[in-house]
Amino acid sequence: MVEVEAEQEYQLKQANSDQGALVYASWPEIQLWQEFRSGNPQAFDYIFEQYIRLLYSYGHKFTAKSAIVEDCIQDLFIELWEKKHLLSATNSIKYYLFKSLRRKLTRSLEKEKHILGQVALENDYQFNITFSHETQFISNQITEEQHKGLTEALAMLSKRQKEVIYLRYFSNLSYEEVASIMGLNLNSTYKIVSKAIHSLKQHLMLPLAILLLLL
């Protein structure tokens, strides 16, 4: 009897969760964020489910150590919930989460290097772009040889260039958001993107229009 009641309670919670997800999916992000800030746990769960994979993917661009990425993401969401009433409003949840995670990751990696007796520099981090969910789209646009060339061309970019390209074109963040996340001024961000695209054009036999579509 107890097991039946527990199963019914679980199914009810799951149904409520699914219904909540359908509702939140139609909300503007600023409204969803406000709902979370007001203390709604379902809104918080929805935000977590929507962005956990993106955050995990972004975090792994900095380090291959999954434990560090997972710890930083966990700390981020614990902190968000505990300080929800103190958080500022935002109309871009992805931007807010990416910026917060990047700050936690760089601090964690700097702390690790300090423990190991290495020099810790903010710009001394790994940032590797690999194709995951983007691969199918890219494969539909270019040949296997061009795909290989694109991968090699991206690998030749500086870490900062790769991160700017990833945030601007793979993550669809605005130039202003990219600049804020990376601690750059807006003019520098434009220049880094311009140089990165110029470098890619030099190493790829692809028309600019297709290159921009791929990015």
Side-chain angles (χ1 to χ4, degrees):
M1 183 65 178
V2 175
E3 292 181 356
V4 173
E5 291 178 351
E7 178 64 22
Q8 290 176 339
E9 182 178 356
Y10 170 78
Q11 291 178 354
L12 179 60
K13 288 182 178 179
Q14 188 64 38
N16 290 335
S17 177
D18 292 342
Q19 185 177 10
L22 290 174
V23 172
Y24 297 140
S26 65
W27 284 14
E29 290 202 348
I30 191 170
Q31 183 181 357
L32 173 61
W33 188 252
Q34 178 57 39
E35 186 72 9
F36 149 62
R37 290 169 62 209
S38 68
N40 187 327
Q42 287 187 333
F44 176 74
D45 290 343
Y46 179 78
I47 291 172
F48 178 85
E49 293 296 333
Q50 285 294 111
Y51 291 99
I52 182 63
R53 290 185 180 180
L54 290 176
L55 291 171
Y56 194 77
S57 177
Y58 181 48
H60 266 282
K61 301 293 186 289
F62 292 88
T63 176
K65 297 180 179 179
S66 296
I68 292 179
V69 177
E70 291 169 0
D71 286 346
C72 287
I73 293 175
Q74 183 180 44
D75 289 346
L76 170 59
F77 277 96
I78 290 174
E79 184 177 293
L80 287 175
W81 182 252
E82 291 179 344
K83 299 182 179 180
K84 54 185 175 293
H85 299 301
L86 303 176
L87 301 178
S88 58
T90 183
N91 59 4
S92 176
I93 297 175
K94 183 194 295 184
Y95 154 71
Y96 195 103
L97 295 178
F98 271 37
K99 183 174 182 178
S100 299
L101 178 61
R102 189 184 193 277
R103 183 168 57 246
K104 286 185 175 295
L105 276 170
T106 52
R107 288 176 179 173
S108 180
L109 293 173
E110 287 173 357
K111 181 179 179 181
E112 182 184 47
K113 288 189 176 185
H114 178 72
I115 292 174
L116 295 175
Q118 300 174 353
V119 177
L121 297 174
E122 202 281 336
N123 292 326
D124 186 21
Y125 61 87
Q126 298 297 318
F127 199 91
N128 301 306
I129 298 179
T130 56
F131 300 121
S132 53
H133 64 279
E134 301 93 354
T135 303
Q136 184 60 47
F137 170 75
I138 291 173
S139 297
N140 291 337
Q141 301 293 323
I142 60 178
T143 66
E144 182 177 347
E145 183 177 354
Q146 289 172 330
H147 179 280
K148 180 181 178 181
L150 177 59
T151 302
E152 293 175 350
L154 286 169
M156 295 178 67
L157 298 178
S158 70
K159 297 170 186 177
R160 179 169 288 187
Q161 286 176 327
K162 283 189 283 188
E163 186 175 5
V164 167
I165 289 293
Y166 178 81
L167 292 174
R168 178 68 186 96
Y169 294 105
F170 284 81
S171 300
N172 296 316
L173 294 168
S174 69
Y175 279 99
E176 290 80 6
E177 290 169 340
V178 173
S180 178
I181 288 172
M182 296 183 63
L184 304 171
N185 63 56
L186 188 57
N187 189 47
S188 295
T189 304
Y190 279 116
K191 288 181 179 179
I192 293 171
V193 170
S194 178
K195 289 182 179 179
I197 291 178
H198 178 71
S199 177
L200 291 174
K201 285 172 60 181
Q202 285 187 318
H203 293 92
L204 290 171
M205 299 299 293
L206 290 173
L208 178 59
I210 294 181
L211 176 60
L212 292 177
L213 280 175
L214 297 179
L215 295 176

